[in-house]
Amino acid sequence: MNAKHTFVNLFLKRSSKQECHIVLSRWNTYYEALSEKHKKTFVVRTLLFLNTTDFDSKEGFELTLEMKLVISSAFVQITFGLKQDVLRIFNTIFVTPTSYKYASRDVFFNGDVNTVTKRVNLSWPAVEKGFIITNDGLNIAIHEFAHCLIIENTKRSRLSKNINQNDLNQWKDIATKKLPLIREGKYKIFRNYGGTNLMELFATTLETFFEQPHEFYSYAPTFYRTTAKVLKQDPRNGKNPK
Ligand SMILES: [Zn+2]
């Protein structure tokens, strides 16, 4: 645990940590695989994220602590190797009881990052499915938080980047070459949607990276290793990913 998390840990109630541990053990297979030492850090980071984020939901839909912890865990998972442990811009998460649509478009969403309202929207049934089916490369919470990570990184000054710029540039170089193949469905490890643009490919890559790390590595070792470098972790080492 770094100095900041050791300090945060002092202010967390034992009962909150225990409750968080129970929820994470039940829902998050990445957490479940971690060593005891990493589990402690993961719990602290989850509660820190929970306490610094505004969770909101539609009237009449009860957003439980369990749901909030599950959603928070997706962010902690993707940033577990990084210094960044909270969201600075997109720290409002709006959870809906079903998929939803915007008045201007006739498309249903399971999640999106709204850069105008600075809000992350997530449909709970989609989040739930993402965690229940752990190995299909689909996890909407990981997907949307991946977008947040990149957008927040872009808005930071050169010296306070949360992601190493050289690593990210290396990732972009590889990703740019793969983009047309993915779009045409010729790069089977990713779904075609990932080929939409680099932003969508990054989010899709993270879903695959965490849900199918061994398959991803076998299929594209260099791309996998570059992704691991960006996130400073390797989920193939379940106990000690970083
Ligand atoms: Zn997306």
Side-chain angles (χ1 to χ4, degrees), residues 111-113 140 143-144 147 191 193 197 199-201 203-204 207:
D112 74 298
V113 177
I140 193 76
H143 183 102
E144 300 310 332
H147 286 325
R191 58 188 192 275
Y193 181 72
N197 53 44
M199 190 66 158
E200 292 309 329
L201 182 53
T204 309
E207 290 177 89

Side-chain angles (χ1 to χ4, degrees), residues 8-26:
V8 170
N9 186 33
L10 294 174
F11 295 91
L12 295 170
K13 275 197 242 152
R14 217 193 153 99
S15 57
S16 312
K17 285 187 271 189
Q18 182 58 21
E19 187 173 19
C20 180
H21 164 72
I22 292 169
V23 170
L24 296 180
S25 304
R26 190 182 304 149

